[in-house]
């Protein structure tokens, strides 16, 4: 997900100040990775430059604050983005695969690497299970998404471990 489109989506819901957008972004999308204030305001500046939002200054006790609102162009961009399915990533080349092949090429312990990666994934799955137990529905759904990806990696690790001998022969023959 891109930050600009997420901010536009939040603005389509209602006009907001930058601080409120950051809070809402962090609440719904920033689990463990809060959006820096500087990124919020630089993104809003670019969106305003491109005609997708407007900013109206509001005087107050402190420095003027801007309330941002989405424009028709911004609304159209959100509508187009929401209507487009996310393309399935091909994952034909991953860091996991690269490390296994290089370990085999260099005569290192590829099986040991796969075992260590499996242990790391299992540890993360236990952490995510705790998040699901104690978190909100949003937390649980995000944890499920991450866990499904980890499960796919674990299946790949098992299959690769079973085929490691054949892969080693293929790598050495090249």
């Amino acid at each position: 997900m891109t930050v600009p489109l997420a901010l536009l989506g939040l603005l389509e819901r209602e006009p907001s100040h930058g601080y409120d957008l950051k809070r809402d972004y962090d609440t719904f999308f920033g689990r463990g990775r809060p959006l820096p204030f500087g990124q919020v305001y630089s993104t809003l500046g670019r969106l305003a430059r491109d005609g997708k939002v407007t900013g109206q200054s509001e005087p107050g006790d402190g420095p003027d604050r801007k309330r941002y609102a989405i424009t028709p162009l911004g609304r159209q961009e959100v509508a187009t983005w929401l209507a487009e399915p996310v393309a399935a990533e091909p994952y034909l080349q991953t860091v996991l695969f690269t490390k296994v092949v290089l370990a085999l090429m260099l005569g290192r312990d590829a099986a040991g690497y796969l075992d260590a990666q499996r242990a790391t994934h299992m540890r993360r799955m236990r952490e995510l299970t705790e998040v699901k137990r104690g978190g909100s529905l949003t937390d649980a759904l995000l944890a499920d998404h991450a866990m499904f990806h980890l499960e796919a990696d674990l299946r790949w690790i098992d299959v690769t471990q079973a085929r490691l001998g054949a892969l080693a022969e293929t790598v050495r023959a090249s």
Side-chain angles (χ1 to χ4, degrees), residues 1-118:
M1 172 182 50
T2 66
V3 171
L5 287 163
L7 294 179
L8 283 173
L10 291 170
L11 284 171
E12 186 168 336
R13 185 181 56 167
E14 64 183 353
S16 299
H17 296 101
Y19 177 85
D20 298 323
L21 288 169
K22 181 206 175 338
R23 183 199 61 226
D24 291 348
Y25 181 95
D26 290 350
T27 297
F28 292 105
F29 314 118
R31 298 291 198 253
R33 292 185 65 191
L35 192 61
F37 277 107
Q39 187 176 359
V40 171
Y41 291 107
S42 64
T43 301
L44 288 169
R46 285 190 301 278
L47 291 170
R49 177 199 67 207
D50 296 342
K52 298 172 185 171
V53 301
T54 59
Q56 182 70 36
S57 292
E58 295 178 342
D61 293 337
D64 286 351
R65 294 176 42 166
K66 279 189 179 178
R67 179 176 293 277
Y68 293 90
I70 194 168
T71 65
L73 179 62
R75 284 182 196 280
Q76 181 57 47
E77 185 162 332
V78 171
T80 299
W81 180 62
L82 291 176
E84 293 173 354
V86 175
E89 304 245 355
Y91 294 118
L92 293 177
Q93 183 69 343
T94 68
V95 174
L96 289 173
F97 179 77
T98 301
K99 285 185 169 189
V100 169
V101 170
L102 285 173
L104 292 171
M105 282 180 180
L106 301 173
R108 302 215 177 124
D109 185 10
Y113 165 69
L114 289 170
D115 289 340
Q117 189 64 57
R118 181 183 294 106

Side-chain angles (χ1 to χ4, degrees), residues 109-161:
D109 185 10
Y113 165 69
L114 289 170
D115 289 340
Q117 189 64 57
R118 181 183 294 106
T120 298
H121 276 29
M122 295 301 293
R123 191 169 31 258
R124 182 64 180 141
M125 288 182 79
R126 285 189 292 276
E127 292 168 359
L128 292 168
T129 299
E130 289 304 313
V131 167
K132 286 177 61 170
R133 282 190 188 127
S136 65
L137 175 60
T138 303
D139 291 334
L141 288 170
L142 289 170
D144 281 340
H145 186 264
M147 288 177 71
F148 294 147
H149 283 273
L150 290 169
E151 287 173 359
D153 280 354
L154 288 168
R155 285 193 309 271
W156 180 86
I157 288 169
D158 290 341
V159 167
T160 302
Q161 190 97 40

